[in-house]
Amino acid sequence: MLAGLSAELLRTLAPERPGKHPGRVPGRILLTGWFSFVDGEVTAGDLLAQRQVSAALDRAGLAHDTAWSPGFRPGARPLDAADPARYGTVVFACGPLHGRQLTDLHTRFARCRRIAVGVSVVDAGDPAVAGFDQVLARDGDGTAPQLDLAASAPLGAAPPVVGVVLTYGQGEYGARRSHGHVTETLTGWIHTKDCARVEADTRLAWATGGSAPRPNSSWRSSAASISC
């Protein structure tokens, strides 16, 4: 049984009284968030909130699409391809309500009912906030904070965990060293894989710990950033 912000959202999505908002048409729901903007970003919390809201809509039998940034999910439905005439409601899930991206969203989907859920209200007078027909906030709206949507999101299968060891420097190899090329190839490839990447260091001791450094070595390790 749904509770908290998910349940509140479903109650809010009850059909509007006919004629209440002339020009609005019933239709599918477009699920958006900071994960929808090309110039936004996707945090783990954003992604889990999307899963939670999408699962709640599915359970309620409410047809919906999710708009994804092509920078995060290439090949999925991008926000630019979402036709406002196809949707009756736009739901924005998770994150702070501020910025040009949200005011642009209000302008483009002006005829749709717009609901924010699981969000933080930084400034209630901000057009990014005021543009929504209803805001179901997790915090910042003057009421008691509510449990974040991400906390009860359904989890998929855990991705594999991969240790990544990259080395730079090691100038003793001279012209034979290919560290830069190998690092670029490896990180470029691993960024395309759905895995949790963990930086690993194979050096067991530094010079102060009883192990002499290699001559002319300026070794450091680095790992690809987690993007899945």
Side-chain angles (χ1 to χ4, degrees), residues 67-86:
W68 295 101
S69 165
F72 175 71
R73 190 158 289 181
R77 180 189 308 274
L79 185 60
D80 288 348
D83 181 3
R86 176 176 167 79

Side-chain angles (χ1 to χ4, degrees), residues 192-214:
T192 67
K193 305 303 175 183
D194 183 16
C195 61
R197 296 174 280 281
V198 179
E199 180 179 357
D201 189 344
T202 60
R203 175 165 289 185
L204 302 180
W206 301 89
T208 56
S211 177
R214 293 189 177 100

